[in-house]
Amino acid sequence: FSFVALIFCSLLLPNNVWANISTIKLATTDWCPYSCPNDKQNKGIAYDYVSHILQQKDITADIVSYPWARAIRQVDTGARHGLLTAVHSESPDLLFTQVPMMSYQMCFYGLPELKWQYRNTTSLSNVSLAVIAEYGYGQPLDNFLAIESNRKNVVEISGNFGLERILALVSSGKVDVFIEDKNVFNWHLKHQESIREKKFKQLGCLAETPFYLALSPELIWAPEVIKMLNREFSSQANGRWLEFLISNRYSE
């Protein structure tokens, strides 16, 4: 009897766990237009999208912004349940959705007078590059940055206002090039006059990269939530809602 009861209880466990989830605590960073913690009205595409999906399941999305390296540590230490947006290279030990939430594309930028173009990682030896600490930029740049000998011309920024500080370094000529998602850069270009005045030019891009939502594997309910999010991220109805969200709130 005890063996049968154990099997029966194990079959019921996911439903019981699922019923007890009322709030999911996610960490994010300032990454407009995907996550915009300083905007009281439009919190960002990923922020609004995930909040919308969880709300349909009667789950509250408690999303808090930190500098990116600290956001990762918040999940690693158990202070937060997961990361709103993530790629595997940043937190390989977390549970990721198999279906991506969206995708991003990293591009290189510099001042107009810079005579340089990104061709491959070998071409990076000819310039100094500013990056944000513990960001996943996509391949092949992540592999390039993982090799210590490649980092002699790399300036790494941590803490708040990472992109703003990087732009100041490039504007002053202390660093040649920075890399950022093209939608993020265009968002800052649209909203900050100082960036428009500098007329940064695009100097080549990496391939488009998907990003995901990731949860701590320490959570007993994480696998069930991941399964649910896979279904919802694949849903045509949610895809249409996402397109509506972007075109009505976050279009350039």
Side-chain angles (χ1 to χ4, degrees):
F1 173 77
S2 59
F3 177 74
V4 174
L6 180 62
I7 296 295
F8 181 72
C9 289
S10 67
L11 291 173
L12 289 179
L13 179 61
N15 290 329
N16 291 338
V17 170
W18 181 259
N20 291 330
I21 304 171
S22 60
T23 301
I24 295 180
K25 300 177 181 179
L26 299 172
T28 187
T29 195
D30 186 352
W31 198 40
C32 254
Y34 304 107
S35 176
C36 311
N38 297 319
D39 191 322
K40 294 181 179 180
Q41 186 173 1
N42 297 320
K43 291 293 188 178
I45 301 169
Y47 190 116
D48 290 346
Y49 186 43
V50 170
S51 297
H52 170 78
I53 288 173
L54 294 181
Q55 187 177 33
Q56 309 311 306
K57 308 296 181 182
D58 295 321
I59 299 172
T60 299
D62 176 3
I63 303 172
V64 179
S65 179
Y66 307 90
W68 187 236
R70 186 180 169 198
I72 294 172
R73 286 195 296 273
Q74 291 291 305
V75 182
D76 290 341
T77 60
R80 296 265 106 189
H81 295 145
L83 295 171
L84 175 64
T85 62
V87 296
H88 295 82
S89 60
E90 297 167 332
S91 297
D93 296 329
L94 297 184
L95 291 178
F96 282 73
T97 57
Q98 286 78 48
V99 179
M101 184 193 310
M102 281 175 270
S103 62
Y104 65 98
Q105 186 174 28
M106 290 290 178
C107 297
F108 295 90
Y109 298 90
L111 294 177
E113 57 268 25
L114 183 65
K115 307 299 182 185
W116 178 86
Q117 188 78 16
Y118 174 78
R119 305 295 181 192
N120 49 46
T121 53
T122 302
S123 63
L124 291 171
S125 63
N126 299 318
V127 291
S128 55
L129 170 68
V131 300
I132 294 177
E134 297 187 44
Y135 260 38
Y137 287 101
Q139 298 301 349
L141 188 61
D142 286 344
N143 284 343
F144 174 86
L145 293 174
I147 300 172
E148 188 62 35
S149 60
N150 290 335
R151 300 180 68 89
K152 60 182 182 296
N153 293 329
V154 175
V155 177
E156 188 174 74
I157 301 296
S158 59
N160 289 315
F161 308 108
L163 179 57
E164 287 81 356
R165 291 159 60 197
I166 282 175
L167 290 171
L169 287 172
V170 177
S171 297
S172 64
K174 295 178 180 177
V175 178
D176 296 321
V177 174
F178 68 96
I179 181 170
E180 185 52 86
D181 170 68
K182 63 180 182 181
N183 290 329
V184 173
F185 179 73
N186 288 337
W187 179 270
H188 281 265
L189 193 66
K190 178 181 177 181
H191 291 85
Q192 295 185 25
E193 184 177 351
S194 60
I195 300 177
R196 292 197 298 273
E197 290 175 350
K198 286 293 180 182
K199 294 182 171 57
F200 293 100
K201 67 176 179 179
Q202 191 180 104
L203 301 165
C205 300
L206 303 181
E208 197 167 318
T209 303
F211 64 84
Y212 308 80
L213 188 145
L215 296 173
S216 169
E218 302 298 320
L219 302 166
I220 191 171
W221 45 262
E224 290 302 308
V225 173
I226 291 294
K227 288 179 184 177
M228 178 272 288
L229 290 171
N230 284 332
R231 292 193 299 269
E232 297 301 324
F233 290 164
S234 300
S235 160
Q236 290 185 357
N238 283 331
R240 289 192 295 269
W241 192 88
L242 178 60
E243 291 175 2
F244 174 84
L245 172 69
I246 294 171
S247 61
N248 283 269
R249 294 189 196 171
Y250 298 100
S251 59
E252 296 179 14

